[in-house]
Amino acid sequence: MAMGSQFSLSLELTKLVPFGSLFNTAGHGLVRLLREIQASGSDFITEQDLAEVFGRNRLEPRFASTFRTAVKHSVIHRISHIAELVLEGGAGPTVRRSFSEEGYFAMVVQLSLLIYTHELSSLTGALVRASERRTKDSAEYVAPPRYDALKGTLRAIREQTCGFMWELTISAVEKKLYSSIASTDGSLYAIRTIPQNILQALLDAFTAIQHLPEHTRLQISSATGLPTIVVWAHHILGLSVKVHVDGESQVFGDELATVYIDGDHRGPPKVALLNETDDPFFQLLKKREDPVLVPVCRHPIRDYGTRVYRLRNEDRETERTLVYLIVASCITVAQFPDKYGRDLVEQPDRFPTVQRVLSVSKLLFSSNEDVIDGIDVGSTLVCAEMASDVGRLLTLGIKNDHNLRQLLLGYKKLVMELMYITFVLCMVQGFEDDLSLYLDVLPESEYSTFDIPSADITFEVPNAKKAFYTLSLMLLGPVEQSILLGDSSVVSAWGWSLCLGSMACQDPSDATTSLALMRGVPARNGERKHYIVDGAWSLEKEALAYDYAKHSRLGISHRPGDQCILSSWTRMKDRRYYIGVKDDTFEVASILDYDDPAVDAKDRARAGHDSSISCGFRSMQELCWRVHHAPPCQHPAIPGQSSLVLPENVFAFRGVGRPQLEFFKPDAVLAALVAGDSSARWILMATMVYTWRTSWSKQLVPPPPEQIVCLRSRGCCFECAVRYAQRCRWGTPVGLVL
């Protein structure tokens, strides 16, 4: 017998498949569970509402076991010296709770699929709308889930189930359904989105089919959503599905299918749940006001470069040739750091090596690994003049091939973009051993924001700052991009976090180009956020304010010809930290402090002297990106023991302040004696970079573009640090932080 509405069917199914309340959890256990779920970003009541819908469905046992194995582990990464600030990855409170309750586990699995194939905000809006429509015929008002609470719950599930690789299952279904789905118009991902009316129907239809298989049949007519529906119905719930697409029928499961999909339908999508006499229990047609679900365009890190290529170019015959050219070009660039790393002032040993380029390339183009293995690294070592134009980055064996030259002319831009992405990933550590990392396959227009040089000029390897920005966009995707990127030291999305090196270091010489990409979400005492930012803690503002207050004066302690010991005039103090919480961020500051033993504590307090500077980790990393790093050497560098007779125009000083320009020649080196005191090294770097240029600009016309500051790495001796600083001079005295 036909029913009047979807809600009537839902009521009958609720009687047939009762769902127990979680409120049988008593006392302190319930309160603890509530706190853990809320701290993770999810919502207890919303999870209950979702479980009452999705938890009625029975999972296919083998798939459920596979999914449970993939997501059951939890990981914690320590990313900072701040003990309570960590990355929490894997199973969180929502997933752990589902392991002991079958209905909640079914909810997590099904929503994990929908979240993978649909953009978060659009899916949230679609589920809210579906909930409103399902209950509109109810005698009593049933409040739909709150948008913010539902979005937080879906995001929490997305983060906690990122270990399951949905792409493998979906791609296998697509391969069976379609003869060719790779195209340049983005349809590869658009075909995965389920129309609003069909999504609403499936919330009850699958439950009816599972529990009344002899009396129900689902008929779907839609050109989109097929792969997702097949995975949901057949792989997750174990239903038999028959799909008619491209003039052929494909069966998933038994021939006696209970779900029929007409993929060749070209009209508005429609769906009907039928009884044994083909009378509808309900049917839903597309409405003009239906929200449009946005596809998620992500791909695993393995073969990511190949996917980008195939989305932009359907010609598979040229794929292997262009992969060869891209990787050969990257190898050539890696052998000329002086030419292609002009934008890098970090340590030379951090420039990507040929081995690193090959390792990342094999990951990005894994389906063409045999092509990469066939590259003769020695033959790609061409002269710098030939390497100046990507159009001439042809290996010696094929450089006279006219057809290949013409081919490359049409793909210069794509070649440059994939080279750029390769070098971005070469500068990141931590992701190679976990292939569950997915990155957004950005639309072509987004690559214009990456600061990629045009194809007719010299290629430059991106520095760490550009790499952080680029990879943040690839991790977040175009929809979730945030204005917080310029202030962030940690950016998190999809259960992964991109971290700056300054987060994990005490001494500035340890925070050069290091970027880390690790599974997990920033957390403190169980509370999860998606950004760690500086907030109001700007190192530049703090340094200028410190200089304005004139708490200390710069004083020359050693002049040329004096014997100077590698030491510090400060006494190191314990590092302190500040952590604040705001919206979706942790605001974190490191409070840098030093103790001047020459100043009595009572005198310092009486004069109101404050030797501390508060700064965020992003501004600390920005500072490291602006200074020149003297690399380690083979000589001993022991603070308190190593010494040097200062050469001509080299001065050592104590204190914090601005030097007087008229006292020094333009080729002078001014060395700060702060070896061994990491906090003092940070403070002296900041005052040199942000305050010294003011002194020069008052007396030099035109003023220098920036103050040149060199930082001695802890493995560099006194003499080598001075020689390095002397090579960096540019019209003004150079600051050297020992």
Side-chain angles (χ1 to χ4, degrees), residues 545-559:
Y546 189 91
D547 177 69
Y548 178 78
K550 293 181 171 59
H551 288 311
S552 180
R553 296 297 181 90
L554 184 151
I556 300 299
S557 60
H558 297 79
R559 298 180 180 276

Side-chain angles (χ1 to χ4, degrees), residues 43 123 166 180 268 286 304 317 430 437 738:
D43 181 78
L123 177 61
W166 284 109
S180 176
K286 177 178 174 58
Y304 175 86
E317 294 182 2
L437 170 64
L738 293 174

